[in-house]
Amino acid sequence: MLHTREPRTLRRPSGAAGPAISDITEEASKLPAFDGHERIWCGRDETCGLTAIVAIHNTALGPALGGTRIWRHETFEAALTDALRLSRGMTYKAAVAGLPLGGGKAVIIADPKTEKNENLLTAYARMLSALEGQFFTAEDVGMTLADADFLRSKTSNVVGTTKGGSGNPSPATAEGVFLGLKAALKHRRGSGDLSRVRVAVQGLGSVGWVLCEKLRAEGALLTVCDVDETRMQSAREAFDATPVPADRITAVECDIFAPCALGGVISDETIPGLKAQIIAGSANNQLARHEDARALMERRVLYVPDYVINAGGLINVATDLSPGGYNRQAAMQKVAKIPKAVTAILSRAEAQSRPTNDVAADIAWERIRAAITD
Ligand code: NAD
């Protein structure tokens, strides 16, 4: 797509401290991951080593919201590609969840273990303030809730903090995945009853562990894996789960596979060995390639698009921006609508014989277009 937007500059009081911020939309538009993004900003501050990219994909439904990832990318282009891809995903996630929000994502190129410090975060907070409310952020890979709290003490453009904000998003994510998984089961079998249903859970972290608790409480039989051996042993005891080595989880005999660890787990390599009839989990970017959803459809594997079923965390954190501020009950009422969204997508995909991820994208764009033409 040819990019034609004029470069923008930000209004800032002369002499105001903060990183140099430039509009790099033109440069970003040359990358394959560019998808008509509205604006890409780059903030640099040599005094503290900040290089940050804020990618704003689409704000038709509201201001962009997305996490800030702090990661030691090998090249600037790799970081930019990451920001472009992730921000686009946030547009879809917010739109399908029915949130009045757009899609954005930020990447700070730094090693979170050795290069993250208060000076770096302060410079980044100044960049966020300078963006004139276009972008709100929260924690992501490489950033902790304490970092989010620190940023919030410097700028108002941060959500998901522990002081007055929604805090840890994982319980809401796990609840949404649990409800969405049951909706998929009901769609496939006519009943969402989990008793003796075999579920393989990959990753026993903040989301995977809570998901196992919920599944087990309703009688599911669990097979689990994690690269952390201690977590696997704890799961064996807590859930009477069967632990398997990490490289075997995609091929175990089960009814449902719940990826809750990494992206790219569904691929040319793993699809032939899958035994599950349903894939429903929290991991972002579960498909190695968009086309993998078609291969799953042809094998009659029901794939619940990741950004639909894992939207609970976003729904929870978005509540911070509502007029009264964060309200857990209001957030969980919205999370409870995830199964309805899942069922609508699975039903339409079946009726049209199309992959579920294509249908989910259609629904996102229908909502965005409706907002533009209103
Ligand atoms: P986490 O870091 O708490 O847990 C991930 C777990 O996966 C860890 O226990 C880790 O040891 C394990 N793991 C890593 N590599 C593995 C492998 N190859 N095989 C098996 N296990 C492996 O992360 P989380 O917050 O539970 O999130 C899980 C996934 O869900 C991630 O992809 C995340 O991006 C996505 N997600 C999380 C949220 C949220 O609210 N936390 C929201 C949306 C999406």
Side-chain angles (χ1 to χ4, degrees), residues 93 169-170 173 202-208 225-228 231 246 260-262 282-284 310 313:
K93 191 186 281 206
S170 304
T173 303
Q202 179 187 43
L204 298 164
S206 317
V207 179
C225 83
D226 198 294
V227 286
D228 180 339
R231 281 185 169 270
C260 298
L262 307 167
S282 74
N284 281 315
N310 74 13

Side-chain angles (χ1 to χ4, degrees), residues 60-107:
L61 294 171
L65 191 150
T68 295
R69 181 164 287 194
I70 305 181
W71 197 250
R72 180 76 266 170
H73 287 86
E74 288 298 318
T75 62
F76 184 80
E77 189 176 313
L80 185 50
T81 297
D82 211 15
L84 291 172
R85 273 185 42 246
L86 293 165
S87 58
R88 176 174 178 265
M90 292 307 293
T91 296
Y92 285 40
K93 191 186 281 206
V96 174
L99 297 170
L101 289 172
K105 199 87 179 187
V107 172

Side-chain angles (χ1 to χ4, degrees), residues 69 93 105 139-141 167-174 177 201-210 224-229 231-232 244-247 249 259-263 265 281-286 306-307 309-314:
R69 181 164 287 194
K93 191 186 281 206
K105 199 87 179 187
E139 58 142 353
D140 199 89
V141 176
N168 181 8
S170 304
T173 303
V177 172
V201 180
Q202 179 187 43
L204 298 164
S206 317
V207 179
W209 186 272
V210 180
V224 296
C225 83
D226 198 294
V227 286
D228 180 339
E229 190 64 31
R231 281 185 169 270
M232 281 225 286
V244 295
D247 59 358
I249 192 78
C260 298
L262 307 167
V265 65
S282 74
N284 281 315
N285 302 320
Q286 290 168 25
D306 44 20
Y307 62 81
I309 196 167
N310 74 13
L314 176 65

Side-chain angles (χ1 to χ4, degrees), residues 12-35:
R12 243 194 322 182
S14 58
I21 303 172
S22 48
D23 180 348
I24 59 163
T25 318
E26 183 66 36
E27 176 186 342
S29 71
K30 300 189 173 82
L31 294 180
F34 188 82
D35 175 54

